[in-house]
Amino acid sequence: MLPKIFLFKDWVPNWLIKIVLFIVLLPSLVLFFLPMTNVAAAAGNTGIETYDVIYSVALFYAGYVSFFSLERRFFRFLAAKEYFIIITIIQIVTSYICYSTQQVAILFVFRFIQGMAFTMTVNLSLSLIYSQLRTERARIIGYSIFFGMLVCMIPLNNFLTANIVDSFNFNFLYKCAIFSYFPSLVFIYLFMNNVHLDVKFPLYQLDWASFILYACFVCLIGYIMVYGQEYYWLEDPRIFWSIVSIFVLLVLFLLRQSSLKRPYFDLAVFKYRNFYIGGAVILIFYICRFALGVTTTYFQTVLKLDPLHIGDITLLNILGIVVGVISAGVYILQHRPIRLLWLYGFSLLLIYHAGMIFLFTTQANEGYFYLPLFLQGLGVGTLMTPSIIFMVSSVPERFGVTSAGICLLMRCLGFYLSAGLMNYYELFSKSKHFNTFQNQISVLNPIAKQQLVKYSNSLIVHGSALGKSTKLSNKIVVNAVNVQNHIRFGIDYYEMICTLLVVTLLLVALFPYINRTIVTISKNQPSPF
């Protein structure tokens, strides 16, 4: 490892180095899930569909995942200081284009490029951080801080951007992102020395072919998961040919990896049983993690809470994440079995989702949700770090880069599956329940007729004309049906999540191999890219 004096100016204290690295990393983390802070506002400002907003996040994730292995060649070629400056300029330029464009195709392209730049930022920042973390305790703390920041981003974005979205249009957030990069650019220029963190390796024989195959593969999976239900899956030729293309790309990619001397991913990593177990746990965990979006949508759609109140409520979720991350770090340092952490974390998520099923009502006090949101954050914080460490450390150190890359892919697929399941339940479940309600509400139903008359009389008392009161009362009933539809969608989705969690808990509790597994971190363990 390089001593501190080679990385930074000798007059820069250690505490300032940590602050600078945090300032460098934070804007990119915020930019990751930025469109999901207010999907409706993001869609309305650009004139696109809500599915396009979700896909812009999926493309950022795809850029992050697919560029991971290829990026390491650039990391070894460029000096740390100039690399940081190049990355920051790329993020500023792409943020400006996302701010100014009204074309969804341009937005998609540059969100993908932002994901690639995010890979570069994370790799370099964490390499600098981990170059100073030599003990097992320090490295576990480093893992916990990074992944704690990562899972806090969605609720933190909700809190930080609520006032901005309320006062300006959504794209103004990209302008804020542009200015947030300037302090890091100044600090890097002033404090860092222009040295290499590794032996300089020339940029020749870059495996662009594997990158393109892998990137297209990941992007198409995201496309199917986001748009599949809207296009009725295989009934639409776009979805059908996307699925065919995925299989073709996967076969080509695997054949290429098996024939290369230095493959993009070393396929020998799949010989280890713990690697599969860790990947499955991460996949399930990420599906459950993003189910929180159903609750925040419920706050907006049913309870009619404004973004400011939603941001305040989600602070309890952040508190739970912090407590969970700290608790998980302590357990890992004590070399407690990973099975216990998984049981605790998934049990907390089960309690949260089961409890929310009974809290989804047309009217509720926001105080009812403080404890559930804290428990959800506690479960997420408890599961995040040990699950990723388990998967990355389940293979020999020579497979560290490949295991970290596949771990990143599992997290990406978890997000994609979560988006696909929510779209399926939202469209299919709402349609089913709307038809059920529609069959019950007619002039032949005396209760429905009585309620319509009640609404109409109330509107007339408050000054509405007779003809308008009838139309408005019908609209009130339709709105009430839509509210019930959303509640039923939330209940159905959380019931499915509860079933998934119960099955996961049973497998973790009964699987004998996991009972004897304890996570350990070696000094050469790769940083969590």
Side-chain angles (χ1 to χ4, degrees):
M1 297 296 178
L2 292 171
K4 187 211 80 172
I5 190 171
F6 289 105
L7 297 173
F8 292 88
K9 308 289 186 183
D10 55 359
W11 53 267
V12 182
N14 280 322
W15 61 267
L16 185 56
I17 292 174
K18 293 180 176 65
I19 292 175
V20 170
L21 293 176
F22 177 78
I23 291 173
V24 168
L25 193 56
L26 185 61
S28 296
L29 287 171
V30 172
L31 201 61
F32 199 150
F33 293 106
L34 188 64
M36 293 184 67
T37 56
N38 194 320
V39 175
N45 185 72
T46 314
I48 59 179
E49 298 290 336
T50 55
Y51 300 103
D52 298 328
V53 177
I54 302 300
Y55 191 55
S56 71
V57 179
L59 285 173
F60 189 106
Y61 226 140
Y64 178 26
V65 171
S66 59
F67 194 57
F68 167 76
S69 294
L70 188 63
E71 184 276 337
R72 300 181 66 82
R73 293 290 302 276
F74 294 93
F75 173 77
R76 297 182 65 182
F77 176 74
L78 296 169
K81 183 176 180 178
E82 63 181 339
Y83 197 40
F84 257 137
I85 292 173
I86 291 171
I87 296 167
T88 307
I89 292 174
I90 291 173
Q91 293 285 31
I92 291 172
V93 172
T94 55
S95 296
Y96 175 76
I97 293 172
C98 291
Y99 162 73
S100 59
T101 187
Q102 295 294 318
Q103 300 295 322
V104 66
I106 296 175
L107 177 67
F108 285 168
V109 170
F110 284 94
R111 282 292 291 176
F112 183 85
I113 295 173
Q114 282 182 338
M116 294 171 61
F118 180 70
T119 311
M120 302 159 75
T121 304
V122 170
N123 192 355
L124 185 53
S125 298
L126 293 179
S127 295
L128 291 175
I129 293 171
Y130 275 71
S131 66
Q132 303 180 49
L133 302 178
R134 302 179 183 276
T135 66
E136 180 186 13
R137 177 185 177 88
R139 295 181 73 81
I140 288 176
I141 291 173
Y143 271 81
S144 300
I145 291 174
F146 172 71
F147 289 118
M149 290 172 59
L150 188 61
V151 294
C152 281
M153 279 304 105
I154 294 180
L156 184 62
N157 281 353
N158 289 337
F159 176 73
L160 294 177
T161 63
N163 278 308
I164 298 175
V165 174
D166 193 51
S167 304
F168 303 93
N169 62 44
F170 183 86
N171 275 19
F172 188 79
L173 293 177
Y174 286 111
K175 181 182 283 190
C176 295
I178 294 171
F179 288 104
S180 69
Y181 280 104
F182 283 109
S184 61
L185 196 61
V186 173
F187 291 149
I188 291 166
Y189 182 79
L190 294 177
F191 297 157
M192 284 190 68
N193 293 315
N194 201 34
V195 296
H196 287 79
L197 286 172
D198 205 340
V199 177
K200 186 174 180 179
F201 198 82
L203 289 175
Y204 67 88
Q205 294 182 345
L206 291 175
D207 194 3
W208 288 106
S210 293
F211 165 71
I212 293 171
L213 290 172
Y214 190 41
C216 293
F217 169 76
V218 178
C219 289
L220 285 175
I221 293 177
Y223 179 80
I224 291 171
M225 289 295 102
V226 173
Y227 294 101
Q229 182 60 35
E230 185 183 19
Y231 296 156
Y232 297 101
W233 300 105
L234 295 177
E235 294 182 17
D236 191 286
R238 290 169 291 187
I239 301 299
F240 174 78
W241 288 113
S242 294
I243 294 175
V244 172
S245 300
I246 284 173
F247 283 105
V248 172
L249 290 168
L250 179 60
V251 171
L252 292 175
F253 181 78
L254 293 177
L255 289 175
R256 181 173 177 80
Q257 302 317 298
S258 61
S259 63
L260 289 175
K261 182 179 180 181
R262 288 184 293 272
Y264 214 66
F265 289 131
D266 193 333
L267 302 181
V269 75
F270 293 103
K271 296 178 181 178
Y272 299 89
R273 178 167 49 177
N274 271 8
F275 191 71
Y276 287 102
I277 296 172
V281 169
I282 290 174
L283 198 66
I284 295 169
F285 162 62
Y286 259 65
I287 292 173
C288 299
R289 173 199 166 191
F290 287 105
L292 181 64
V294 175
T295 300
T296 55
T297 306
Y298 164 77
F299 290 155
Q300 295 172 340
T301 306
V302 178
L303 299 186
K304 306 297 182 183
L305 296 180
D306 58 79
L308 296 175
H309 280 85
I310 295 175
D312 292 340
I313 294 173
T314 51
L315 287 178
L316 272 297
N317 188 251
I318 296 175
L319 177 61
I321 291 172
V322 172
V323 175
V325 166
I326 294 173
S327 302
V330 172
Y331 267 73
I332 294 174
L333 286 172
Q334 293 175 345
H335 299 292
R336 302 289 296 275
I338 189 67
R339 166 180 169 270
L340 293 178
L341 284 173
W342 283 347
L343 288 174
Y344 297 154
F346 283 120
S347 295
L348 288 168
L349 290 180
L350 177 60
I351 293 171
Y352 161 74
H353 289 96
M356 286 302 301
I357 290 173
F358 298 97
L359 291 177
F360 282 140
T361 56
T362 55
Q363 294 180 346
N365 190 318
E366 63 185 49
Y368 296 163
F369 303 98
Y370 291 162
L371 181 59
L373 288 174
F374 176 81
L375 291 177
Q376 198 272 352
L378 187 61
V380 167
T382 303
L383 289 167
M384 184 70 175
T385 304
S387 299
I388 293 174
I389 292 177
F390 180 89
M391 185 174 179
V392 174
S393 62
S394 63
V395 297
E397 291 175 5
R398 67 180 185 275
F399 298 125
V401 175
T402 298
S403 64
I406 300 298
C407 176
L408 181 55
L409 175 63
M410 289 298 103
R411 288 150 55 192
C412 177
L413 293 179
F415 170 71
Y416 287 173
L417 285 172
S418 175
L421 287 169
M422 279 194 282
N423 287 342
Y424 171 79
Y425 272 85
E426 185 172 15
L427 293 176
F428 177 76
S429 179
K430 281 186 176 182
S431 176
K432 181 183 70 174
H433 292 301
F434 184 84
N435 292 332
T436 301
F437 287 129
Q438 191 178 42
N439 292 334
Q440 298 297 323
I441 298 174
S442 68
V443 293
L444 300 178
N445 188 326
I447 299 177
K449 186 176 181 180
Q450 183 181 1
Q451 193 65 35
L452 284 169
V453 171
K454 182 180 177 180
Y455 286 146
S456 181
N457 291 337
S458 177
L459 290 167
I460 292 172
V461 169
H462 287 84
S464 176
L466 179 62
K468 288 185 177 180
S469 66
T470 303
K471 294 180 181 178
L472 290 174
S473 61
N474 289 331
K475 188 174 182 179
I476 291 172
V477 171
V478 172
N479 289 337
V481 170
N482 288 332
V483 166
Q484 292 294 333
N485 275 342
H486 191 85
I487 291 174
R488 287 303 313 175
F489 148 65
I491 291 173
D492 290 347
Y493 188 72
Y494 275 18
E495 284 177 347
M496 183 274 296
I497 294 292
C498 286
T499 304
L500 179 63
L501 287 169
V502 169
V503 173
T504 303
L505 284 168
L506 289 174
L507 292 176
V508 171
L510 299 176
F511 202 93
Y513 189 74
I514 299 177
N515 295 351
R516 301 189 296 271
T517 303
I518 297 175
V519 171
T520 57
I521 305 296
S522 68
K523 65 179 181 179
N524 295 321
Q525 190 69 35
S527 56
F529 300 122

